[in-house]
Amino acid sequence: MISIKTTNSLYEPEKVDVGIVHIGLGAFHRAHQAVYIEKNLNRNQGGDWGICAVNIRSNSQLVDELKANGCRYHIAEYQDSQNVELREINAIRDALFAGTDKEPLFEKLVSPKTKIVTLTVTEKGYYLAPADKTLRQDDPSIQHDIQTPASPKTAPGILVEALYRRKESGLPPFTILSCDNMPNNGSLTRRVVCELAAHRSAEFAKWIEDNVAFPSSMVDRIVPAMSDASRERLQKELDCHDQNAVMCEAFSQWVVEDNFPQGRPDWEHDGVQMVKDVHPFETMKLRLLNGSHSLLAYVGLAAKYKTVAQAVADEKFASLIRHYMGFEAAPTLDLPQEVQVQTYIDSLVSRFANDSLQHQLSQIAMDGSQKIPQRWLNGAEERLANDVKQGDLNATALGVAAWLFYVRGEDLEGNQYKVDDPMAQTLSELHGRCADPESLVREALKLNDIFSTTLSQSEMFSRAVLNAYQTIISSGVTDCLSFNNRLSNNNTANFGG
Ligand code: CS2
């Protein structure tokens, strides 16, 4: 029998004021930040840290549906398939779609009550070149925001315009908190906002530099995209008839740099880790959790698995990610003091094994060009700059090879599928241009939006990627998998040249 614990709001939602504007009202926000705010409001029996959540480009339907329900929804936190907590959430007090509600959005952003603006816009929403993380000035949307700054399309453009209006009205700025999976997400957000603002005036950009706080944060909770099937399951299993419900794992972590000059909720009492330096937490999570996720996604899809849980149930895949984490990624990390790496790795493997989530590998495979630099490549570059031996980066190389295979948009049986990635066209042209694996791998590693010269010039790394790629296309990806997680120098990958 499934055990369901129900938790309801303990405050009067209509009395809660909005102190936070959030951009990016996806499932992740609803199951992560909004839950921490919900706990805060429950504990304080209300307050003025309610959220106005905004979608800027897509999913106006969700905004309408949420509003039709007074922004009330539920989340189902699955410990495993038998233990679930169903939570009512009222932390989101208002929802807007920037496409049609631009002025109401700026009203909220310029309100003196708004103290914090948070972001979950995914990696590509920052318009940074993936490898060197500079603003992509030539992107048409950024160009639009440079030419017509008063009606911006992008998240950075909206922040710049809102800060401009606040400055003009003599109001203090808000604090900007990035909640996306990027290293130094606070400084990167500062960089894009200041670079864009400099197109208005150097003086305005300097005002932002001097006055706006951009704390970094590490966010962690596995939240699969909702589907009709998962909604139906919530109805049947939990009797939850809520179109906007979100399902996620029970685990949740939020580590936030404590830099909020305009004030913040007393989050430290709600399980948020408020710290001085987020960096060790961010790199650990990105390279271990997200790095393994991407590895499972590309290698798993090539082996015809559909979900994360299915892939890790295969011992070969569990060994692959344990090997990757323990031998390739962990040595690059400066771990937070309280973390025991083996315990962290074990907990990740068991979180991935949670089969109640049905976390689709294809969801993780999206936008690979924007994800793999911080998940795999930065660590590999650091390893290459030190003393690496043949075979030391074979799991990472296999990941790169499987990603390269995935982005060709056609499996070994000739079935075609859509590659969802801002660089999809470049990657498809690359496959069209390079028929033989050797030139394909060589040219792919020259894509300097993704790969640094350290990687493209490493003979050892290129050869390992090529060997893995050749194995994938000639005998299938499972032939690349014999990582048995032993502590040895040439640890057991059966390719690597
Ligand atoms: C995943 C993440 O889709 C992806 O790329 O790796 O969304 C992952 O589930 C979260 O970062 C977990 O905190």
Side-chain angles (χ1 to χ4, degrees):
M1 253 280 282
I2 186 162
S3 142
I4 307 166
K5 179 178 171 206
T6 309
T7 312
N8 292 321
S9 297
L10 302 172
Y11 55 95
E12 290 176 64
E14 42 304 318
K15 293 199 177 146
V16 170
D17 235 335
V18 167
I20 301 175
V21 174
H22 178 77
I23 303 182
L25 171 57
F28 184 78
H29 168 73
R30 283 179 286 153
H32 189 263
Q33 182 188 330
V35 180
Y36 286 101
I37 294 292
E38 174 72 17
K39 289 182 179 168
N40 189 272
L41 294 170
N42 272 341
R43 196 171 41 76
N44 292 320
Q45 282 163 24
D48 42 18
W49 290 112
I51 303 169
C52 169
V54 186
N55 269 344
I56 51 179
R57 293 234 183 154
S58 57
N59 217 347
S60 61
Q61 196 192 338
L62 173 63
V63 170
D64 294 341
E65 282 170 3
L66 257 188
K67 279 171 107 161
N69 286 304
C71 294
R72 171 179 180 267
Y73 65 95
H74 294 83
I75 65 157
E77 301 173 330
Y78 278 79
Q79 181 72 44
D80 51 44
S81 57
Q82 295 309 301
N83 294 285
V84 189
E85 179 155 357
L86 185 65
R87 255 179 221 283
E88 177 189 10
I89 308 284
N90 282 290
I92 298 182
R93 298 311 317 131
D94 197 1
L96 297 170
F97 180 61
T100 43
D101 303 325
K102 202 147 271 169
E103 279 317 305
L105 167 61
F106 281 115
E107 236 166 74
K108 275 278 186 301
L109 287 168
V110 179
S111 157
K113 290 180 177 173
T114 298
K115 304 279 196 287
I116 304 175
V117 176
T118 52
L119 302 167
T120 315
V121 291
T122 79
E123 298 84 347
K124 64 182 172 226
Y126 293 81
Y127 296 88
L128 289 160
D132 67 4
K133 308 275 188 264
T134 50
L135 178 67
R136 285 178 18 227
Q137 308 257 3
D138 53 347
D139 182 279
S141 302
I142 290 293
Q143 272 302 318
H144 170 275
D145 289 1
I146 292 173
Q147 309 303 334
T148 40
S151 60
K153 280 184 175 172
T154 68
I158 289 172
L159 293 171
V160 168
E161 173 64 11
L163 289 170
Y164 188 79
R165 293 192 191 188
R166 285 183 86 104
K167 179 174 179 283
E168 292 298 286
S169 328
L171 284 169
F174 39 66
T175 297
I176 301 178
L177 176 64
S178 164
C179 302
D180 279 292
N181 282 321
M182 297 184 305
N184 302 314
N185 51 12
S187 330
L188 292 179
T189 312
R190 175 198 298 273
R191 181 187 289 180
V192 293
V193 168
C194 289
E195 276 190 39
L196 202 53
H199 287 274
R200 284 190 118 142
S201 80
E203 179 253 330
F204 173 48
K206 170 94 174 61
W207 179 82
I208 297 178
E209 274 287 346
D210 294 345
N211 294 286
V212 183
F214 292 85
S216 281
S217 81
M218 177 271 245
V219 291
D220 189 7
R221 178 166 247 188
I222 294 173
V223 187
M226 289 300 287
S227 64
D228 289 342
S230 44
R231 271 185 283 270
E232 210 170 286
R233 178 158 158 220
L234 294 185
Q235 287 179 19
K236 282 207 185 111
E237 215 164 79
L238 312 181
D239 198 24
C240 171
H241 299 262
D242 175 358
Q243 187 60 16
N244 304 315
V246 182
M247 144 185 202
C248 60
E249 65 172 339
F251 178 92
S252 183
Q253 189 177 15
W254 198 11
V255 187
V256 180
E257 181 186 334
D258 202 354
N259 178 17
F260 292 81
Q262 315 303 329
R264 62 162 172 85
D266 52 350
W267 271 321
E268 62 274 29
H269 303 297
D270 308 307
V272 183
Q273 289 164 262
M274 302 300 305
V275 301
K276 236 172 119 183
D277 184 11
V278 174
H279 193 66
F281 294 92
E282 278 178 329
T283 39
M284 170 184 81
K285 191 254 171 176
L286 278 166
R287 293 184 192 177
L288 298 181
L289 187 156
N290 298 108
S292 298
H293 251 176
S294 292
L295 202 50
L296 289 171
Y298 301 116
V299 182
L301 286 168
K304 301 280 176 231
Y305 285 122
K306 295 248 181 298
T307 69
V308 173
Q310 280 169 3
V312 287
D314 179 335
E315 206 25 66
K316 291 191 290 304
F317 279 77
S319 294
L320 168 68
I321 57 165
R322 282 187 180 279
H323 173 97
Y324 161 75
M325 290 192 270
F327 298 100
E328 301 194 14
T332 69
L333 299 173
D334 178 13
L335 290 163
Q337 242 178 10
E338 64 266 40
V339 174
Q340 264 280 336
V341 76
Q342 198 51 51
T343 315
Y344 187 72
I345 291 174
D346 291 344
S347 76
L348 292 181
V349 178
S350 67
R351 285 170 63 194
F352 293 164
N354 187 343
D355 63 357
S356 41
L357 295 177
Q358 300 291 312
H359 195 189
Q360 302 294 312
L361 295 172
S362 55
Q363 183 189 342
I364 301 169
M366 267 175 62
D367 294 344
S369 66
Q370 315 291 301
K371 292 175 175 175
I372 65 174
Q374 57 271 25
R375 295 179 178 205
W376 299 336
L377 307 179
N378 296 348
E381 282 153 25
E382 287 167 26
R383 294 292 304 272
L384 284 168
N386 293 306
D387 193 21
V388 278
K389 286 175 293 307
Q390 195 95 342
D392 279 353
L393 290 173
N394 276 359
T396 308
L398 168 59
V400 172
W403 163 76
L404 189 54
F405 176 70
Y406 175 80
V407 298
R408 79 178 194 169
E410 185 180 330
D411 67 14
L412 282 177
E413 289 75 45
N415 304 309
Q416 300 195 338
Y417 51 86
K418 182 171 179 284
V419 175
D420 216 329
D421 191 301
M423 288 183 68
Q425 199 180 335
T426 307
L427 295 164
S428 147
E429 281 164 13
L430 178 79
H431 273 280
R433 211 170 56 237
C434 304
D436 70 297
E438 203 159 338
S439 63
L440 176 73
V441 168
R442 201 179 44 242
E443 292 303 308
L445 295 182
K446 279 193 203 148
L447 292 170
N448 56 15
D449 263 351
I450 305 175
F451 299 96
S452 68
T453 45
T454 313
L455 286 170
S456 56
Q457 287 173 4
S458 162
E459 251 317 290
M460 191 189 94
F461 189 70
S462 319
R463 212 154 349 108
V465 175
L466 177 61
N467 285 347
Y469 192 84
Q470 275 168 327
T471 311
I472 294 173
I473 57 170
S474 58
S475 47
V477 78
T478 14
D479 272 8
C480 298
L481 294 171
S482 58
F483 294 88
N484 68 2
N485 196 28
R486 265 195 292 124
L487 234 187
S488 74
N489 282 340
N490 58 350
N491 30 56
T492 64
N494 68 350
F495 63 87

